[in-house]
């Protein structure tokens, strides 16, 4: 997919200005769009709106796509960016007609922020950038909806909590079953669902939670951490709501499973690296491998503050015992009462201290600074970048 030649030159010339003012543009865009279409607040994580992360993610994605169009050999991971956005959109039921609303307000925000620099030629060029990106996303989302047998106009299905289990400090697992008694949809280990709740102020808010266990009994398990605000930030609205109200018998609106960071069907050694609540995709993958009777080597590496904060330890230990080639290494900042027979190390995770198997496939999940530091360590250890995959909870700011 290419820009028309005259528009390509215009975008190339104006890309530095758009990128430099990207967060200001996306902030103006969201404010105007929500004022004109307040119903769209129900689709967007208002916590990420408040802390600015969604503005940064959108600005980074648009700039990255534009750079990919005008400099195809730039190394921008365009397909990865597009796939990540499409899966998130599909989990929220984003529809094609909503792209028209977004496009109008986004281009108006570009004009408002950049002022007289946005000539008719500049407006036309960036309009083409937007609609090329939107067309690709609409097509990919249509494919995902078809595969999931999901109607984007009604993306949620009612599920009932059948079990609630404390996993660690401020972490619970909810085991869910379809309220209509029908079958649970198949999913790949590493995928997530959106859970939509109505908050006390009437605002409906979705959040994505990893399916943290491979279940074959018609249920699904999500594991969530209660987000406690620090440095004046508010507590997480949805996680707090679920902690206070989700008990056996509670009904929740849950989407079909989506997500593109999934376990491949291969036999290469597997290294799963996680921090904090980022352990949930690793737990799902280990569980599925154990159920499948895998023979591939699996190294699970986790970093956490203390044993009391380490979620899903029992589930992973049980699954690991059923995998002949399973090894586990854990770093705790405060080891405390860590099991004496476990490979537990004190401090922060050190990739250089790991005995990495050759030709390993690596999956990472955790806070962005942790992912970036771990990736540097993996590259230094000789792991090629194309064999390293990551999942980040919240807006994907990796590209920045």
């Amino acid at each position: 997919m290419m820009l028309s030649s005259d528009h390509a030159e215009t975008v190339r010339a104006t890309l530095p200005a758009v990128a430099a003012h990207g967060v200001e543009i996306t902030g103006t865009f969201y404010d105007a769009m929500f004022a004109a279409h307040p119903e769209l607040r129900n689709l967007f994580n208002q916590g990420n709106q408040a802390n600015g992360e969604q503005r940064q993610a959108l600005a980074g994605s648009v700039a990255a796509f534009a750079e990919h169009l005008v400099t195809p050999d730039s190394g921008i991971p365009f397909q990865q960016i597009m796939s990540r956005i499409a899966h998130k959109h599909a989990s929220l039921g984003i529809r094609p007609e909503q792209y028209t609303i977004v496009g109008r307000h986004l281009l108006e925000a570009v004009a408002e922020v950049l002022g007289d620099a946005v000539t008719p030629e500049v407006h036309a060029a960036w309009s083409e950038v937007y609609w090329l990106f939107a067309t690709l996303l609409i097509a990919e989302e249509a494919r995902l909806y078809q595969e999931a047998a999901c109607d984007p106009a009604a993306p949620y299905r009612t599920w009932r909590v059948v079990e609630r289990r404390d996993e660690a400090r401020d972490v619970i697992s909810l085991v869910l079953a379809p309220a209509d008694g029908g079958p649970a949809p198949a999913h790949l280990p590493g995928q997530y669902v959106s859970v939509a709740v109505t908050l006390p102020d009437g605002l409906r808010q979705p959040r994505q939670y990893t399916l943290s266990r491979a279940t074959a009994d018609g249920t699904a398990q999500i594991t969530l951490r209660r987000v406690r605000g620090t440095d004046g930030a508010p507590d997480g609205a949805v996680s707090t709501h679920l902690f206070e109200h989700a008990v056996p018998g509670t009904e929740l609106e849950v989407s079909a499973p989506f997500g593109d960071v999934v376990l491949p069907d291969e036999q290469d050694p597997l290294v799963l690296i996680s921090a904090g609540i980022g352990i949930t995709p690793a737990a799902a993958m280990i569980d599925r491998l154990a159920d499948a009777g895998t023979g591939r080597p699996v190294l699970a590496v986790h970093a956490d503050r203390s044993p009391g904060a380490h979620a899903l330890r029992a589930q992973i230990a049980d699954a690991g015992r059923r995998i002949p080639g399973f090894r586990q290494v854990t770093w705790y900042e405060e080891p405390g009462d860590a099991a004496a027979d476990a490979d537990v190390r004190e401090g922060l995770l050190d990739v250089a201290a790991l005995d990495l198997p050759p030709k390993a496939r690596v999956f990472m999940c955790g806070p962005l600074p942790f992912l970036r530091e771990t990736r540097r360590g993996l590259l230094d250890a000789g792991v090629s970048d194309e064999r390293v995959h990551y999942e980040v909870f919240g807006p994907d700011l990796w590209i920045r």
Side-chain angles (χ1 to χ4, degrees):
M1 182 168 287
M2 298 176 59
L3 278 170
S4 55
S5 58
D6 54 338
H7 286 169
E9 288 303 316
T10 301
V11 170
R12 187 177 291 110
T14 55
L15 178 55
V18 172
H21 294 86
V23 175
E24 184 181 358
I25 290 169
T26 54
T28 300
F29 151 71
Y30 280 120
D31 290 345
M33 184 178 70
F34 289 145
H37 298 274
E39 73 280 2
L40 293 181
R41 285 168 49 85
N42 294 332
L43 287 175
F44 289 84
N45 182 324
Q46 294 302 307
N48 292 333
Q49 289 293 325
N51 64 26
E53 289 185 356
Q54 187 60 52
R55 300 177 185 188
Q56 296 176 52
L58 177 59
S61 297
V62 172
F65 179 65
E67 185 171 347
H68 168 77
L69 288 175
V70 299
T71 314
D73 59 353
S74 63
I76 295 292
F78 160 66
Q79 291 295 335
Q80 179 179 314
I81 294 171
M82 188 188 72
S83 177
R84 191 68 55 94
I85 295 172
H87 276 271
K88 180 67 71 68
H89 283 183
S91 79
L92 296 169
I94 299 297
R95 302 190 303 277
E97 61 268 24
Q98 291 166 331
Y99 280 91
T100 301
I101 297 172
V102 169
R104 182 175 68 253
H105 288 285
L106 185 58
L107 292 168
E108 287 176 354
V110 172
E112 180 176 339
V113 171
L114 298 184
D116 293 341
V118 182
T119 63
E121 292 77 11
V122 171
H123 182 276
W126 280 95
S127 179
E128 186 179 4
V129 170
Y130 172 77
W131 279 110
L132 284 173
F133 200 13
T135 299
L136 290 171
L137 286 171
I138 289 168
E140 180 63 9
E141 289 155 21
R143 184 185 68 81
L144 293 174
Y145 289 136
Q146 183 177 30
E147 288 182 353
C150 174
D151 178 0
Y156 294 102
R157 181 182 180 190
T158 303
W159 290 60
R160 184 174 293 115
V161 178
V162 296
E163 181 184 354
R164 172 176 169 145
R165 186 168 60 250
D166 291 329
E167 298 285 2
R169 184 169 57 249
D170 278 342
V171 180
I172 59 171
S173 285
L174 300 175
V175 180
L176 312 172
D180 59 14
H187 72 277
L188 299 172
Q191 290 191 307
Y192 54 80
V193 293
S194 285
V195 178
V197 302
T198 301
L199 299 172
D201 63 1
L203 181 65
R204 181 179 170 86
Q205 281 285 273
R207 295 292 186 273
Q208 287 74 42
Y209 296 107
T210 304
L211 292 163
S212 56
R213 188 169 203 154
T215 52
D217 59 355
T219 65
Q221 175 180 289
I222 59 173
T223 300
L224 57 132
R225 175 176 62 90
R226 183 171 189 164
V227 178
R228 296 190 181 273
T230 58
D231 299 326
D235 293 344
V238 175
S239 67
T240 298
H241 181 87
L242 290 172
F243 256 77
E244 294 178 348
H245 299 287
V247 296
T250 301
E251 292 190 343
L252 299 173
E253 297 303 302
V254 181
S255 76
F258 292 100
D260 62 339
V261 184
V262 297
L263 190 64
D265 185 14
E266 60 183 28
Q267 292 304 311
D268 288 343
L270 185 66
V271 178
L272 305 172
I273 302 178
S274 57
I277 197 60
I279 199 170
T280 52
M285 292 178 181
I286 294 167
D287 209 48
R288 181 68 61 88
L289 289 166
D291 286 352
T294 186
R296 66 194 295 189
V298 179
L299 171 60
V301 181
H302 183 67
D304 226 314
R305 184 166 298 281
S306 67
H310 187 168
L312 300 170
R313 277 196 298 166
Q315 175 182 314
I316 290 175
D318 175 67
R321 283 190 287 269
R322 295 182 283 136
I323 300 175
F326 183 77
R327 292 189 295 130
Q328 188 170 20
V329 183
T330 307
W331 267 267
Y332 292 130
E333 296 176 46
E334 303 165 4
D337 58 350
D341 60 344
D343 188 348
V344 173
R345 308 176 190 186
E346 185 172 1
L348 302 178
L349 188 151
D350 181 9
V351 174
L354 292 172
D355 181 16
L356 295 171
K359 298 182 179 179
R361 180 76 63 182
V362 181
F363 288 84
M364 307 186 298
C365 186
L368 199 56
F370 169 84
L371 295 179
R372 287 177 169 151
E373 184 65 27
T374 301
R375 175 176 175 268
R376 280 193 291 267
L378 291 167
L379 295 177
D380 290 343
V383 180
S384 60
D385 215 12
E386 65 268 16
R387 300 188 72 81
V388 178
H389 311 269
Y390 75 94
E391 180 69 279
V392 59
F393 298 152
D396 188 351
L397 303 179
W398 181 276
I399 194 63
R400 292 178 61 84

